[in-house]
Amino acid sequence: MFKPVPYDLYVTESDRFWVHYGLVILGFALAVITAIVQWCKPAPYGKHEPNGASLGPVIPQRIGHMMSDAIPGIGLLLLVFFLYGTERSWTNYTFLALFIVHYINRGIIHPLTMRYSNPNVLLAITLGGFIPNCLYHFLQADFLGSAKYTPHYYYDPRFIIGISMFVIGIVINKWADLKMRSLRKKKDKDENGLTGYSIPFGGLFEVISCPNYFGELVEWLGWSIATWSLAGLVWCLFAAATFVPRSWHNHQWYKAQFENYPPKRRALLPFIY
Ligand SMILES: NC(=O)c1ccc[n+]([C@@H]2O[C@H](COP(=O)([O-])OP(=O)(O)OC[C@H]3O[C@@H](n4cnc5c(N)ncnc54)[C@H](OP(=O)(O)O)[C@@H]3O)[C@@H](O)[C@H]2O)c1
């Protein structure tokens, strides 16, 4: 029942082999660079956007998030899967569907429903999401379109544990995003848009500052376990390269902003970090 998925079944044609594993190496390198850059300076949006300073051209925030997430996470994924993929088992379709569910939320529902304090975002931030997402999502699609899973892979502990983590992670992430949305009421609106930050309470917010990042990290960890792929692993590492430093910066920001910030709360991992 528990057979490892043979690696040589993923990508056997030599050209595709080099494209696939070349991108895996690039994805790993990009994750390392991202972690270093984000530690040194958090990306300038949201809480870490410098007041008044112009850092370059801006575009509407909702459109920016749709561009950086929906185009690679849905459009590119489907194109690569259906144009270049060869494997059409229920397992491949299950993974494809789960990834798309995530990106319908992240790339469409989330940007249309969140209450941003700034209606605009730097074009550089949008491109900084769009370009890596194209790389990593090309990889996911290339993998999902060519991976041969055993017919009974749904009995496999990697599938069961990984999918469970993915679903739990998505629920935590969505719950946390909705909670933050609820902190900004429409009545708080001034001429610049919806403003103001407050301390979130309840659920996982009692123990960590960034349950939205925690939930998404659990999701992608589950994804890499369930797909049992290097493509999934480098994507999870890239997500961690963003969440680990940014949650720390957010946590420090909360402590500096609110004197009464709960002292026992951690940044990303309950009781640990
Ligand atoms: N896979 C990846 O690599 C990746 C990378 C980044 C983000 N994400 C995901 O994208 C989603 C959004 O990320 P994000 O970095 O924008 O999250 P965030 O900084 O926590 O902000 C989320 C939303 O909540 C608002 N908000 C945050 N803290 C608040 C507070 N204390 N009081 C009132 N409103 C508050 C923000 O408003 P403002 O915009 O006005 O700050 C924003 O609208 C998350 O679910 C995250 O997991 C994924």
Side-chain angles (χ1 to χ4, degrees), residues 45-47 61 103 106 110 114-118 173 177 180-181 183-184 196-200 212-213 216 220 235 238-239 242-243 246 250 253-254:
Y45 72 90
K47 298 182 183 79
Q61 175 119 232
Y103 273 98
R106 172 69 57 250
H110 185 272
M114 292 309 278
R115 293 167 177 162
Y116 301 109
S117 53
N118 187 343
N173 174 265
D177 278 343
M180 280 192 291
R181 181 182 184 274
L183 291 176
R184 283 203 186 124
Y197 290 99
S198 40
I199 305 178
N212 53 345
Y213 297 165
E216 189 154 345
W220 295 128
W235 170 234
F238 179 75
T242 305
F243 297 147
R246 195 168 178 88
N250 281 358
W253 180 93
Y254 274 119

Side-chain angles (χ1 to χ4, degrees), residues 213-233:
Y213 297 165
F214 171 74
E216 189 154 345
L217 197 56
V218 171
E219 228 183 301
W220 295 128
L221 195 57
W223 174 261
S224 43
I225 292 171
T227 58
W228 205 246
S229 65
L230 288 174
L233 180 67

Side-chain angles (χ1 to χ4, degrees), residues 11 201 221 269:
V11 183
F201 287 101
L221 195 57
L269 304 175

Side-chain angles (χ1 to χ4, degrees), residues 7-17 21 146 148:
Y7 275 90
D8 63 353
L9 289 178
Y10 293 159
V11 183
T12 47
E13 293 163 39
S14 70
D15 285 357
R16 285 190 64 184
F17 178 92
Y21 290 103
S146 54
K148 287 185 180 167

